[in-house]
Amino acid sequence: MPQVLSMGELLVEVMRPGVDEPLDRQGTFVGPFPSGAPAIFIDAVARLGVSCGFVGVVGDDPFGRCVLNRLTRDGVDVRHVRLVSHRTTGIAFVAYRSDGSRQFVFHLPQSAAALLSPDDVRKEYLEGVRALHITGSALAISDSAREACYRAVRLCKQRGGMVSFDPNVRPELLGVEAVQALCEPVLASCDVLLPSGAEATMLSGDTDEETACQKLVASGIPIVVLKRGAQGCSVFTDQLRAEVPAYPVNEVDPTGAGDAFAGGFVVALLRGMSVQEAARFASAVGAMAVTRQGPMEGLPTLSQLESFLCSR
Ligand code: ATP
Ligand code: MG
């Protein structure tokens, strides 16, 4: 039985090879790359050698096989991923701007991923789970996907497992209040929260990232890790506030860094590391993830991570 579980959207990403090639013009694309925030997370965990599984839905099509083959190759248990023939696998089209921002077109709410439902979350499957990772993106795919996530959180907590939460919902699509309402049940049960600055301020209602994170800890979340891309991260607990610098690397593709980081952080906590040690371990996973094009392509195995850390 898997020790770590994640759930939600499995999709492929198709992206522009260069920068400033917007999606409303003709041009070339590269891909499909296996993707989906919770999928990147679980692939990171698997590559680091921890037993893990995924709960989700894909279309019975080449894109679905692309994602499932990758997860399977890396050791993720996909027996609880449902295959459907009446909907296609989710797709994200991505273009990079020279200012570092990204443009997306998603085929997701109408994709197979949106069919995830509480029935897909089997009690027996959560029996041995030590950590469950939830992403805001999965909460936002559909009502049934959100209910599936809430159910998994309840089952995991009842069994004494830990819940990590990356609130990566896009408020420009839903509005801040709707996002806060979606996240609230997971926030109330999570042990580790991994927001970006904008996500932390949106969740707490503060304008300052630092105050926002302190408030989130004061509200009862044991560990809050504020992710700041190449600027590193900050860890907050009720005992501690620490800066962990990023490892300098050549960034090729930033997509998925946060999910890779979260996978590293959870693995490190399960290995018994302190919060600060876990943040350093996770930073190395995040740094390695951005050195390759494609969200999962740079994810390290444990031995690749150890060589990276030795070379620093
Ligand atoms: P995404 O939503 O694209 O997955 P995110 O915004 O959730 O990303 P980031 O803050 O971009 O997450 O990245 C998470 C962590 O990964 C950072 O805190 C840092 O440790 C590491 N990281 C990200 N980008 C870089 C980079 N360019 N160089 C080194 N480390 C990086
Ligand atoms: Mg993110």
Side-chain angles (χ1 to χ4, degrees):
M1 286 306 240
Q3 291 191 42
V4 181
L5 273 191
S6 188
M7 59 195 297
E9 72 280 13
L10 296 171
L11 51 90
V12 293
E13 203 170 295
V14 177
M15 72 268 257
R16 293 296 202 194
V19 291
D20 295 327
E21 302 174 58
L23 296 174
D24 57 0
R25 313 226 186 107
Q26 279 183 8
T28 51
F29 285 99
V30 288
F33 289 100
S35 189
I40 302 164
F41 167 89
I42 211 68
D43 202 61
V45 171
R47 288 184 66 79
L48 292 169
V50 175
S51 73
C52 59
F54 197 89
V55 180
V57 186
V58 289
D60 187 4
D61 54 42
F63 289 167
R65 286 192 287 283
C66 169
V67 190
L68 287 185
N69 288 345
R70 172 60 60 91
L71 295 184
T72 305
R73 183 202 79 180
D74 287 341
V76 180
D77 175 22
V78 297
R79 287 172 304 157
H80 290 247
V81 175
R82 185 154 55 93
L83 222 63
V84 296
S85 50
H86 60 296
R87 284 213 194 181
T88 53
T89 302
I91 309 171
F93 295 90
V94 190
Y96 300 90
R97 301 189 188 97
S98 44
D99 67 2
S101 66
R102 285 169 283 182
Q103 183 186 36
F104 292 99
V105 172
F106 286 110
H107 158 65
L108 201 55
Q110 314 80 2
S111 78
L115 298 175
L116 176 64
S117 84
D119 290 343
D120 292 307
V121 180
R122 315 293 304 192
K123 256 190 191 149
E124 323 79 77
Y125 201 46
L126 277 105
E127 228 40 76
V129 165
R130 295 174 66 202
L132 168 72
H133 184 67
I134 299 292
T135 61
S137 56
L139 299 175
I141 326 171
S142 63
D143 291 352
S144 63
R146 182 187 67 227
E147 291 305 323
C149 292
Y150 292 167
R151 171 174 158 80
V153 168
R154 277 196 304 276
L155 290 170
C156 174
K157 293 302 285 187
Q158 282 166 9
R159 283 154 184 74
M162 155 180 113
V163 172
S164 53
F165 182 35
D166 179 344
N168 61 349
V169 205
R170 297 155 61 81
E172 62 272 31
L173 299 181
L174 288 174
V176 171
E177 277 170 26
V179 171
Q180 286 170 338
L182 272 185
C183 292
E184 206 286 320
V186 186
L187 276 183
S189 308
C190 80
D191 301 276
V192 181
L193 178 69
L194 300 134
S196 65
E199 290 156 359
T201 52
M202 174 184 65
L203 290 175
S204 79
D206 287 279
T207 48
D208 174 59
E209 298 175 359
E210 187 85 13
T211 318
C213 291
Q214 276 156 1
K215 221 160 144 181
L216 288 160
V217 169
S219 77
I221 301 170
I223 304 171
V224 175
V225 187
L226 174 66
K227 295 170 295 175
R228 292 185 280 105
Q231 267 72 58
C233 68
S234 313
V235 246
F236 301 79
T237 69
D238 62 357
Q239 314 279 337
L240 173 85
R241 192 233 166 279
E243 291 295 327
V244 176
Y247 289 92
V249 291
N250 177 31
E251 180 185 290
V252 175
D253 181 356
T255 304
D259 310 308
F261 180 98
F265 195 77
V266 167
V267 166
L269 290 182
L270 293 180
R271 288 169 55 132
M273 291 186 202
S274 72
V275 172
Q276 241 172 311
E277 286 167 344
R280 279 195 287 271
F281 185 90
S283 300
V285 180
M288 289 186 79
V290 304
T291 59
R292 300 273 298 274
Q293 183 164 53
M296 291 186 192
E297 309 310 308
L299 295 175
T301 61
L302 196 54
S303 74
Q304 287 166 341
L305 187 75
E306 280 161 0
S307 328
F308 174 87
L309 288 169
C310 281
S311 71
R312 302 288 132 171

